[in-house]
Amino acid sequence: MPKFTDYEKEQIRQDLLVKGRKIFIKYGLVKTSIDEIIHECGIAKGTFYKFFSSKEELYFEILINEVEVRESVLNELFRENLSSKELLNSFFHFSFDSVEKNPFLQRSFQNDEHERLIRKLPTQMSEFNQKNAVRGIHAVNALMNQGTLPKDDPRIIVGIMQAVMTLCLHKKEIGDDIFPIVKDKIIEFVIEGLLKEKN
């Protein structure tokens, strides 16, 4: 097996992340094979295994990168000088848009992809989910301290936000034509409920 310089290793890793993402978007996690990934990257199977022990590990790293990009944009949003209603509205709409306009995140929100990751990478997924929950609680605590959200158990508010986000999974059942209206109405009702509780 050839030895790679640090620069070559970084190039191969980035290639796997970028091309792997495209293939996962096209075929999904289950239907993508390592052979397809290595063919697209022009590397040997042994080289793939120097970087990732499975296609699930590669998928998981791409998912982490996508979530980190989304989080950095959300952090900027929280720094803007917005009213409570504007901030919550922007948060929910940005969260929806970041999934709806990102085909990789769309796929990762599908139950079969998520369930497969939990089965194949239970420790990593458990840590990932816990880390997301802690991030959510910190963000909600900050919003409560600045008076944007009512004082409540932050886990409950995080749970409400997560419940709203699961709407993405039911777009087909709701109907593509009315989904945007339903989504906007639910966001409006949740925000009104949260702010009413605050007042």
Side-chain angles (χ1 to χ4, degrees):
M1 194 174 296
K3 294 215 172 192
F4 299 108
T5 64
D6 288 344
Y7 174 77
E8 287 170 330
K9 284 179 188 171
E10 186 54 30
Q11 291 297 110
I12 293 168
R13 183 176 199 81
Q14 288 307 313
D15 212 26
L16 283 166
L17 292 170
V18 170
K19 291 179 178 170
R21 182 182 184 275
K22 286 179 184 171
I23 295 168
F24 286 132
I25 288 169
K26 189 173 182 181
Y27 300 112
L29 177 56
V30 176
K31 291 182 181 174
T32 296
S33 70
I34 290 174
D35 287 337
E36 285 166 321
I37 297 167
I38 63 171
H39 175 75
E40 191 67 29
C41 293
I43 59 172
K45 195 173 274 192
T47 302
F48 175 90
Y49 287 117
K50 286 183 105 172
F51 294 89
F52 301 99
S53 65
S54 65
K55 65 178 182 177
E56 286 80 13
E57 269 197 10
L58 172 60
Y59 188 99
F60 181 68
E61 184 152 331
I62 296 166
L63 176 60
I64 288 172
N65 291 343
E66 298 288 326
V67 169
E68 283 175 357
V69 168
R70 182 174 166 265
E71 289 295 319
S72 68
V73 177
L74 275 175
N75 288 337
E76 288 303 312
L77 174 65
F78 289 142
R79 290 190 188 100
E80 290 181 22
N81 190 21
L82 300 171
S83 70
S84 297
K85 187 172 184 176
E86 289 169 332
L87 179 57
L88 291 172
N89 197 41
S90 296
F91 164 79
F92 280 115
H93 281 97
F94 169 76
S95 296
F96 269 105
D97 288 348
S98 68
V99 173
E100 286 188 320
K101 293 176 182 174
N102 183 324
F104 184 85
L105 285 179
Q106 270 183 2
R107 278 227 179 245
S108 68
F109 261 76
Q110 292 171 358
N111 281 333
D112 54 342
E113 306 266 306
H114 192 74
E115 292 302 316
R116 185 177 180 91
L117 282 179
I118 289 170
R119 276 196 324 273
K120 296 283 188 174
L121 305 171
T123 305
Q124 293 98 314
M125 283 302 288
S126 176
E127 288 171 4
F128 174 75
N129 290 333
Q130 284 174 0
K131 192 174 177 183
N132 275 346
V134 168
R135 274 183 184 163
I137 287 168
H138 284 317
V140 166
N141 276 327
L143 293 173
M144 286 193 296
N145 291 333
Q146 72 184 40
T148 301
L149 288 171
K151 295 283 185 185
D152 201 340
D153 183 340
R155 295 172 303 167
I156 292 171
I157 295 177
V158 169
I160 290 167
M161 291 174 166
Q162 288 172 332
V164 172
M165 289 308 298
T166 61
L167 269 176
C168 300
L169 298 172
H170 305 287
K171 189 172 183 178
K172 292 277 184 251
E173 296 105 303
I174 292 168
D176 288 340
D177 55 333
I178 62 165
F179 180 78
I181 300 163
V182 171
K183 175 191 76 175
D184 288 348
K185 286 288 182 191
I186 288 175
I187 289 172
E188 182 186 327
F189 297 153
V190 168
I191 292 170
E192 280 177 12
L194 286 170
L195 295 181
K196 186 178 176 185
E197 217 173 291
K198 186 185 83 161
N199 299 324

